[in-house]
Amino acid sequence: MHYKEPQVKDNHATCQKNSFFILLQNEATFLKPRLKSGAGCGRMRGMEITLNAPLDMHLHLRDGYMLNLTAPLSADFAGAVIMPNLVPPVTTPEMMQAYAGRITQAMDGAAFTPYMTLFFTARGEKELLAARETPGFFGFKLYPAGITTNSEGGVSDIDQADKTLRIMEELGIPLLVHGESHGFVMDRE
């Protein structure tokens, strides 16, 4: 991906910025303005930062037709943390590995690493250790029950999750939390 912001010049009254435009390429490049000394708003010059291996930290690829449609659009990234709220949710290491295989196939040879998550449910130390040792496993994603798409099997009582959370902490397993409350999500946007 290539993001570029054109130079901005002082017109002695106001500084006007042009909007960003996007060009898809094999690497992500951001061109940001930098203030050059001078009167008023001054003169803006660009500074370029290149991200050779950008990582998407929250990606919904879904499954089936949607997976095959969305996966190639993410192929410019080096990898992504994949969300597990499918139907049914990805809850076991076996389901996770099968989903990772479908993602890799949908990427059609792109150098993309899926960092896989499992849908959080109460479980014991043996299950948590098995998940942690599974290749490609990144962490558990906790969804409040019914708060977002395909989250009906999420946590409805955080006290019931306490034992699992304590074991996860002891084992050094990451917890990713869906931070949303009831209400219309666009009210917060």
Side-chain angles (χ1 to χ4, degrees), residues 4-188:
K4 182 177 180 182
E5 185 168 337
Q7 289 186 352
V8 179
K9 296 181 180 181
D10 184 8
N11 67 3
H12 301 292
T14 62
C15 289
Q16 299 174 352
K17 291 185 178 182
N18 295 317
S19 56
F20 283 88
F21 60 92
I22 301 170
L23 302 170
L24 290 178
Q25 295 182 343
N26 290 334
E27 61 186 35
T29 303
F30 300 89
L31 191 62
K32 295 281 190 182
R34 181 189 305 174
L35 189 61
K36 183 180 177 183
S37 62
C41 290
R43 197 164 237 214
M44 304 297 261
R45 286 195 345 197
M47 178 179 76
E48 187 173 300
I49 299 171
T50 300
L51 301 175
N52 292 315
L55 180 67
D56 185 336
M57 296 301 293
H58 184 118
L59 183 60
H60 291 274
L61 291 172
R62 301 300 181 206
D63 213 354
Y65 172 78
M66 284 300 290
L67 171 61
N68 292 323
L69 181 68
T70 58
L73 299 174
S74 297
D76 286 329
F77 286 85
V81 178
I82 308 299
M83 298 299 108
N85 54 329
L86 304 180
V87 177
V90 180
T91 56
T92 69
E94 296 78 19
M95 292 173 77
M96 183 189 76
Q97 286 187 307
Y99 186 35
R102 293 191 303 275
I103 292 168
T104 300
Q105 185 176 18
M107 286 293 176
D108 197 28
F112 178 90
T113 302
Y115 296 93
M116 303 302 294
T117 60
L118 287 172
F119 194 95
F120 181 92
T121 57
R123 44 187 101 208
E125 184 173 353
K126 184 178 176 183
E127 292 174 290
L128 292 169
L129 282 168
R132 186 181 75 177
E133 300 306 317
T134 304
F137 174 74
F138 184 79
F140 283 94
K141 179 74 177 200
L142 186 151
Y143 294 93
I147 202 73
T148 192
T149 307
N150 304 332
S151 66
E152 292 74 21
V155 174
S156 58
D157 182 355
I158 196 67
D159 292 332
Q160 292 179 356
D162 187 61
K163 181 179 176 184
T164 302
L165 294 172
R166 289 180 190 279
I167 298 169
M168 285 175 60
E169 181 180 16
E170 290 171 14
L171 297 175
I173 298 174
L175 175 68
L176 296 76
V177 178
H178 183 88
E180 184 175 336
S181 62
H182 287 286
F184 183 58
V185 70
M186 297 308 288
D187 286 341
R188 294 184 302 277

